[in-house]
Every structure is written in structure tokens, then in C-alpha cells.
């Protein structure tokens, strides 16, 4: 009888209990023992586990080629089509011969995980520790290697939980599994279940970068665009006005009162300007920003690496055409990142700062104001700086070098009175502070260096609360999390690397952090994190917005576990991932008996409830709490 994938799924679902008089057949490889007639109990099919009938195996784990390969390695059986897969009630049991045939399939030898604890099971070859397979949810991007063991005379090395009952060892050395000493500040009170839809504002469409190609749908309220979208920014005061870039990075806009969208044809563009691709667009626009009253907007030009480094690189702003004599576009600042840029020769540079590149543009939130806060990268110093500029109709304004003030990051207070600065101050010390509108008169809010923290992109919320991104250690040392103004961590770490870009929602309710091309939205209240990348390929902004798929920052009220609860792994091997998804990066592994402490959850993703945990060796990540209906962790 050829085993089906349903057989293998049931066999790999739940770790086996201790053998009893009615236990399933024992796998005995000693030839002398094999000739002994089996006891009567072996003739009886193994009893069904009640949990298996009460919680049927999800279809995704039964009809998936990936599931079979991940659980048992390559098998010679023909996989049935989904309609041929039997229901749990129809799944046949296997006799000893069929089990032996199933487990005889050669499997690759996995590497030993560093977290595995060696357990002596007496004489004979031992099961090689390896990655968790029986408990790895199907659907991961790269199948994990299977179990590996060496059958031999007199051993009983079939891993428990794969489908065979293991004979009791002749001797077992006691192993004491360490409990978890949770890092301070990680255990948070329970939280109510929150929905991103309740706080998501359509005005936050400006903080994302899109990947919508020609012919794909982009819908924003009553606006539908079909020729591709990279950036999109609605007018803050008029829902029928917007600016955006298309699939090729070309600037398009619809000013207030305009009958339709048009293409920028004023300097540095011209009528008929085009580009074959965004990677060949010398006037590629990488940032768009409206003035508070919606009458002006700025656009930042940053050409691709292989494009011409001309003299118009930097920040421009647009105003409605006043009369035919005047142009619509003027420059606020010319960038000079390196000597091969033509713009460097057009600016009167003054040492010791010789090179700079604009990283962010932030108009004053006061309506009618032409004041702009600029964030620059100083490549010669390996740090950032700020400058205040004015959007004025002066063709010579951008010929002057900005007046740099060495704070790494700055964001306006929402009333336009004062700027919150963070990162390194001029003397290199990391702070959160507040300065006047001209970047003078520093008031320190938090001395982050005294706490050993790196904090950046601090901002003040409407209720006065200060929040920032950061982590323990030095700048660029790893991914960041959300912190409050007292230096307390209030979210998990975001992605797996330092941020490439950070954009606050206009109302400071959330922040969008770009990490290795992926965009994460972090809520200021509660620190919930969602990855928005896939949802930005064809966004449709409606009443439901992004739904309620928020990742909780603590344990949700009424859950089966409580914050800080110590639990033990019951499966032979269990993956730990950096985010609650089978496609997320694996950051560690647990073996049976390992302790974990609960930090947050549950979060439903890929058909599994996920829990954020810390292990005894201080690994922090997410594990699947139920696999094929069976719990992966339980109380000691």
C-alpha cells in the first residue's frame, strides 16, 4: 500500500505518547527481534487522537507538495490532486510494514543547530539534531531540509512526531532545560485587539512608495490611475488635486481647479520630456511634498547611478504661473554629493563641508508659510545635518550653500512652533531635543547616550508624547524599534536591517519604515507592526483601508497565555522567525523541552496563530502556536 500525503500529514502531526499495551507498532530493526511474532496489540490499528478529529488538518497542509517534501524529504509517491485528498475521517492508518517503508526513504543530513541540546538515549546511533520540520508550517519560501537518521541493528532512531513510536531507551541522562530570564522592558501589559483601519488616514498615502505598473489599478477615493504609480501625494486641502510620479518616474500633477492631470513641462523638464525607464530617467523624482495650504509643492530630483549627474539635481518647488514672464519652477537647494555632479560647479561651496545630498523635505505645517526644513547627508563626515530654507522665486537662491546645523534628524511640531531633533547633536552625543524654528536654542528632552541608546527620527504627537525609532548600541548596528520619550521600547524590531527611509504619517499616528525594499507600518499607540509592501502593488484606498492585520505589541486581552508566561516546546524541532509568517527569516530553532517566555500574540497569519517569544539564549522571534491542530508549546 503506497502512503498518501494525507497519511504522512497525520503521521507528522503530533508527537507520540509513551507506548502502552495498546500502542501502535514498534519499529524494531534488530533482526533477531524482528523474527519474534508481534504481540496482539500490534495487530490493532493505532487509536485516533481525539484532537485530530475535532480539529481537521487544514487543506493547505494536505494538498501541498511543499508540505510533503518539508516533512519527509523527496518521496516516490504520486501526490493526489486536491479533490482526491481524503478528509481526516477517511485517512487510513498504516501498519508496521507501511511505516517502515515510509521511513526508509533516504533523507538529507541536516546541520546541527546551535540551540539543540544533546540528549543521551543509550547505546546505538542517535537521531541527528536538525531544523524543525514536523512543526514548520507549509508555505515557506524555501523548503527546510528533512530529518536525517542512520537505521541500524538494535536502534530505534525514528524521530518522535514523524510517524513511528520510539522504543524507550535503555538509559537516559537527565538534561535540565534552562528557563527564560526575560530582558527588562520586554514584558508589557495585555492590550486590547486593535484594528489599523480605525486609525489609518487616506492622507497617509503620501508616505508610501508604490510599485504599480502600467495597466494595474491604483484607486484613491474618487481617483483612478492606470498608467503606473511610484509616488502619490493628495493635496492636503483639495481632494481633486494631487501630484505623483508614474511608472517611469515622470512628474504628473493636477493643481487646484485644474480640469485634468498634466505633465510637468517647465524647467528642468521640457515639452515632450520622457524616459525609457525609471533607471534611465536623469530627472527621476524620488520625493514629493505639498505646502500646508496646498498651493505649492516641492519635488526632489535624484538621478539613478547610471544616469547623467547634471546641474539640476536637488530640490525644486512649483507655484502656479503668475504671468508669462515668470517660470513656475525654482530651486530651493542644489545637491553636491560628489565631484562628478554638474551641480557642484553651480554652488558657492564653503568648507569644511564640501559635499551634501538632500534626504528629506518637510514644509512648515503653518498655512501660507514658505519655510522648509531640509535633512541632508554629509558623506565627508558620515552623518546628517539640518538646514532651514525658503521657497522663493529667486533664480539665484540655490547657488548658495545651505547653512548646515549638525543634528541628524528633525521634524516640525504639528503647530509649526519648534522642531524636534534627534540622533547626534553637533558634539556627537545622541539626544532627543527641541530647537527653535531657526535650529537654535536647544532644549534636551532625553540624553539617549546616557542610556546606551541610538535614537532617530523623533517626533511629537498631537497629545505631546515624544516617540522615536532606535535600538541599543551605535547608529546602523541593526534594525530599529519604536521608543517613547523616556527611552522605553514600545514595539518589536522592524525588519532585519537598519532603515533605508523613514516617513511619519502627517498626524503622527504611525510611521513607515523601509527596510531592504520592504515597507513596514508601525502604530504609535501600542507599537503594532504590519508589512505593507505587497498591499502597495495595486492599492485601493477605501473605507476598509488596510484591514485589521496588525501585529500586536503585547499579549491580547483574553488570550490563552499571559505576558511573561514560561512554556515548553513539545515538538521535536520548532522554528523561530523574525516576523509572524512562514516566509519570514528563520532566526533560531527550539528542540523539545526548551523553555520560551511569551511576549506578544496571538497573530493570525498563513493559517497559524503566532506568538512572540524569548528563549533562554535571548533569541527573540515568532513561533507558530498550533501546527496541524496540535499545540507546539505547553505549560511545564
Amino acid at each position: 500500500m503506497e502512503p498518501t500525503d494525507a497519511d504522512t500529514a497525520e503521521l507528522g502531526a503530533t508527537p507520540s505518547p509513551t507506548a502502552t499495551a495498546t500502542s501502535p507498532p514498534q519499529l524494531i530493526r534488530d533482526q533477531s527481534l524482528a523474527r519474534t511474532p508481534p504481540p496482539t496489540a500490534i495487530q490493532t490499528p493505532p487509536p485516533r487522537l481525539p484532537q485530530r478529529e475535532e480539529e481537521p488538518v487544514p487543506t493547505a497542509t494536505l494538498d501541498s507538495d511543499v508540505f510533503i517534501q518539508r516533512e519527509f524529504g523527496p518521496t516516490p509517491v504520486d501526490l493526489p490532486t486536491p479533490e482526491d485528498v481524503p478528509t481526516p475521517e477517511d485517512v487510513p492508518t498504516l501498519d508496521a510494514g507501511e511505516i517502515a517503508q515510509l521511513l526508509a526513504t533516504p533523507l538529507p543530513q541536516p546541520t546541527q543547530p546551535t540551540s539543540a541540546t544533546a540528549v543521551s538515549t543509550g547505546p546505538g546511533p542517535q537521531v541527528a539534531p536538525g531544523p524543525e520540520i514536523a512543526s514548520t508550517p507549509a508555505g515557506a519560501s524555501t523548503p527546510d531540509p528533512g530529518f536525517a537518521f542512520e537505521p541500524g541493528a538494535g536502534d530505534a532512531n525514528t524521530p518522535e512526531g514523524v510517524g513511528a513510536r520510539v522504543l524507550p531507551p535503555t538509559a537516559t541522562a537527565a538534561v535540565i532545560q534552562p528557563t527564560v530570564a526575560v530582558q527588562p522592558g520586554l514584558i508589557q501589559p495585555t492590550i486590547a485587539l486593535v484594528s489599523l483601519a480605525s486609525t489609518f488616514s487616506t492622507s497617509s498615502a503620501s508616505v508610501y512608495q508604490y510599485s504599480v505598473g502600467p495597466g494595474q489599478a491604483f484607486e484613491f477615493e474618487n481617483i483612478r490611475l492606470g498608467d503606473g504609480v511610484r509616488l502619490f501625494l493628495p493635496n492636503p486641502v483639495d481632494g481633486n488635486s494631487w501630484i505623483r510620479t508614474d511608472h517611469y518616474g515622470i512628474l504628473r500633477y493636477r493643481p487646484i481647479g485644474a480640469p485634468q492631470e498634466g505633465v510637468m513641462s517647465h524647467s528642468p523638464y521640457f515639452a515632450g520630456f520622457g524616459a525609457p525607464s525609471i533607471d534611465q530617467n536623469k530627472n527621476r523624482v524620488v520625493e514629493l511634498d505639498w505646502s500646508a495650504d496646498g498651493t505649492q509643492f516641492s519635488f526632489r530630483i535624484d538621478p539613478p547611478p547610471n544616469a547623467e549627474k547634471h546641474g539640476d539635481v536637488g530640490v525644486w518647488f512649483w507655484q502656479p504661473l503668475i504671468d508669462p514672464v515668470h517660470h513656475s519652477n525654482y530651486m530651493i537647494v542644489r545637491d553636491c554629493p560628489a565631484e562628478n555632479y554638474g551641480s557642484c560647479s553651480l554652488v558657492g561651496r564653503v568648507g569644511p563641508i564640501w559635499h551634501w545630498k538632500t534626504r528629506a523635505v518637510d514644509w512648515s505645517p503653518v498655512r501660507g508659510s514658505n519655510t522648509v526644513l531640509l535633512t541632508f547627508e554629509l558623506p565627508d563626515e558620515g552623518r546628517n545635518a539640518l538646514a532651514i530654507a525658503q521657497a522663493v522665486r529667486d533664480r539665484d537662491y540655490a547657488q548658495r550653500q545651505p547653512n548646515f546645523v549638525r543634528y541628524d534628524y528633525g521634524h516640525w511640531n504639528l503647530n509649526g512652533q519648534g522642531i524636534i531633533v534627534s540622533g547626534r547633536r553637533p558634539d556627537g552625543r545622541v539626544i532627543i531635543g527641541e530647537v527653535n524654528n531657526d535650529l537654535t536654542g536647544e532644549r534636551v528632552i532625553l540624553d539617549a547616550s546616557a542610556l546606551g541608546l541610538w535614537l532617530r527620527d523623533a517626533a511629537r504627537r498631537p497629545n505631546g508624547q515624544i516617540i522615536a525609532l532606535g535600538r541599543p548600541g551605535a547608529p546602523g548596528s541593526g534594525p530599529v524599534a519604536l521608543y517613547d520619550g523616556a527611552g522605553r521600547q514600545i514595539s518589536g524590531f522592524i525588519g532585519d536591517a537598519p532603515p533605508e527611509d523613514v516617513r511619519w504619517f502627517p498626524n503622527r499616528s504611525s510611521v513607515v519604515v523601509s527596510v531592504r525594499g520592504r515597507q513596514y507600518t508601525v502604530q504609535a499607540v501600542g507599537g503594532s507592526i504590519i508589512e505593507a509592501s505587497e498591499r502597495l502593488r495595486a492599492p485601493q484606498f477605501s473605507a476598509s483601508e488596510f484591514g485589521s492585520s496588525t501585529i500586536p505589541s503585547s499579549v491580547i486581552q483574553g488570550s490563552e497565555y499571559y505576558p511573561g508566561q514560561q512554556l515548553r516546546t513539545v515538538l521535536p524541532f520548532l522554528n523561530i522567525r523574525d516576523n509572524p509568517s512562514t516566509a519570514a527569516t528563520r532566526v533560531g530553532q527550539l528542540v523539545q523541552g526548551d523553555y520560551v517566555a511569551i511576549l506578544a500574540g496571538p497573530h493570525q497569519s498563513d493559517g497559524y496563530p503566532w506568538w512572540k517569544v524569548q528563549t533562554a539564549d535571548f533569541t527573540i522571534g515568532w513561533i507558530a502556536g498550533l501546527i496541524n491542530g496540535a499545540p507546539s508549546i505547553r505549560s511545564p
Side-chain angles (χ1 to χ4, degrees), residues 87 95 105 122 126 136 140 169 280 332 366 436 465 486 499 505 523 556 564 570 595:
T87 62
D95 59 30
T105 303
Q126 304 302 315
T136 301
Q280 297 174 281
I332 297 176
V366 176
N436 300 325
Q465 178 192 20
F505 277 34
Q523 286 189 306
I556 295 173
V570 299
Y595 277 88

Side-chain angles (χ1 to χ4, degrees), residues 463-537:
N463 64 359
Q465 178 192 20
I466 299 292
I467 42 181
L469 295 171
R471 62 171 292 112
S477 57
V480 298
L482 197 64
Y483 282 75
D484 64 15
R488 294 184 293 257
Q489 185 175 339
I490 56 177
S491 83
F493 287 101
I494 306 160
D496 58 357
E500 299 160 352
D501 188 62
V502 173
R503 302 284 166 181
W504 281 103
F505 277 34
N507 61 3
R508 307 295 194 255
S509 64
S510 299
V511 62
V512 176
V513 182
S514 299
V515 180
R516 294 185 176 178
R518 308 195 72 82
Q519 297 178 73
Y520 300 86
T521 303
V522 187
Q523 286 189 306
V525 178
S528 297
I529 304 171
I530 66 167
E531 184 177 345
S533 303
E534 298 303 320
R535 304 178 186 191
L536 300 176
R537 297 187 183 279

Side-chain angles (χ1 to χ4, degrees), residues 44-419:
T44 303
R48 293 288 176 86
L49 296 178
Q51 189 174 10
R52 301 292 300 152
E53 297 186 3
E54 295 172 3
E55 300 185 28
V57 177
T59 303
T61 63
L62 289 174
D63 61 8
S64 170
D65 297 351
V66 176
F67 176 79
I68 300 300
Q69 184 173 353
R70 289 166 58 84
E71 292 289 331
F72 301 100
T75 74
V77 300
D78 294 327
L79 299 177
T81 57
E83 58 268 24
D84 296 332
V85 175
T87 62
E89 291 76 9
D90 299 328
V91 176
T93 58
L94 304 182
D95 59 30
E98 292 166 331
I99 293 174
Q101 180 182 3
L102 178 63
L103 296 178
T105 303
L107 298 173
Q109 181 76 22
T111 57
Q112 181 173 344
T114 56
S115 62
T117 303
V119 180
S120 172
T121 56
Q126 304 302 315
V127 178
E132 168 267 307
I133 298 302
S135 54
T136 301
S141 57
T142 304
D144 293 325
F147 285 104
F149 58 93
E150 297 292 337
D155 66 33
N157 296 324
T158 305
E160 191 173 17
V162 175
R165 305 293 193 264
V166 181
L167 288 178
T170 57
T172 300
V175 176
I176 300 176
Q177 299 282 356
T179 55
V180 180
V182 182
Q183 298 182 47
L186 292 185
I187 298 179
Q188 302 291 331
T190 58
I191 58 174
L193 181 63
V194 295
S195 169
L196 186 63
S198 64
T199 58
F200 188 85
S201 167
T202 53
S203 65
S204 63
S206 61
V207 297
Y208 295 103
Q209 296 188 22
Y210 302 93
S211 181
V212 180
Q216 294 178 303
F218 180 95
E219 296 183 10
F220 177 80
E221 298 178 348
N222 63 334
I223 302 168
R224 182 180 176 88
L225 304 171
D227 54 352
V229 175
R230 296 280 183 176
L231 304 173
F232 178 83
L233 184 61
N235 193 304
V237 299
D238 188 332
N240 293 315
S241 170
W242 67 85
I243 47 179
R244 67 163 175 130
T245 60
D246 62 17
H247 187 63
Y248 304 102
I250 302 296
L251 178 61
R252 297 172 177 265
Y253 65 121
R254 183 177 179 180
I256 295 176
Q260 61 187 13
E261 179 185 78
V263 178
M264 180 68 69
S265 59
H266 303 285
S267 179
Y269 302 95
F270 53 83
F273 176 86
S277 71
I278 192 171
D279 294 329
Q280 297 174 281
N281 184 355
K282 70 174 185 177
N283 287 334
R284 179 185 65 173
V285 175
V286 297
E287 182 180 357
L288 297 169
D289 298 278
W290 280 105
S291 62
D293 58 9
T295 62
Q296 307 175 75
F297 64 79
S298 61
F299 54 97
R300 178 161 62 93
I301 293 179
D302 182 17
N306 59 345
E308 176 188 350
K309 307 300 189 295
H310 51 84
D312 294 329
V313 176
V315 181
W316 293 73
F317 76 97
W318 170 92
Q319 286 183 327
L321 192 64
I322 295 178
D323 59 66
V325 176
H326 293 86
H327 297 278
S328 290
N329 297 342
Y330 289 83
M331 290 199 77
I332 297 176
V333 62
R334 294 186 191 270
D335 282 345
C336 177
E339 291 303 322
N340 62 331
Y341 281 74
S343 51
C344 291
S345 62
L346 300 176
V347 180
R349 289 183 285 170
V350 180
I353 298 177
W354 296 104
H355 301 101
W356 61 89
K357 181 177 183 178
T358 310
R359 285 298 187 186
V361 181
D362 194 4
W363 287 74
S364 167
V366 176
R367 292 195 176 192
S369 174
N370 291 332
T371 302
V372 179
L373 173 64
L374 302 169
T375 303
F376 296 92
E377 176 188 354
L378 304 181
D380 299 331
E381 299 185 18
R383 63 163 301 155
N384 290 354
L386 304 177
I388 297 294
Q390 301 294 324
V392 294
R393 304 176 72 87
D394 180 353
R395 297 182 64 86
D396 298 326
Y397 186 84
Q399 312 301 99
R400 298 184 288 271
Q401 177 177 305
N403 182 25
F404 299 107
V405 181
R406 288 172 177 79
Y407 291 103
D408 279 330
Y409 304 96
H411 295 280
W412 290 103
N413 285 325
L414 293 181
N415 62 3
Q417 300 303 309
I419 297 167

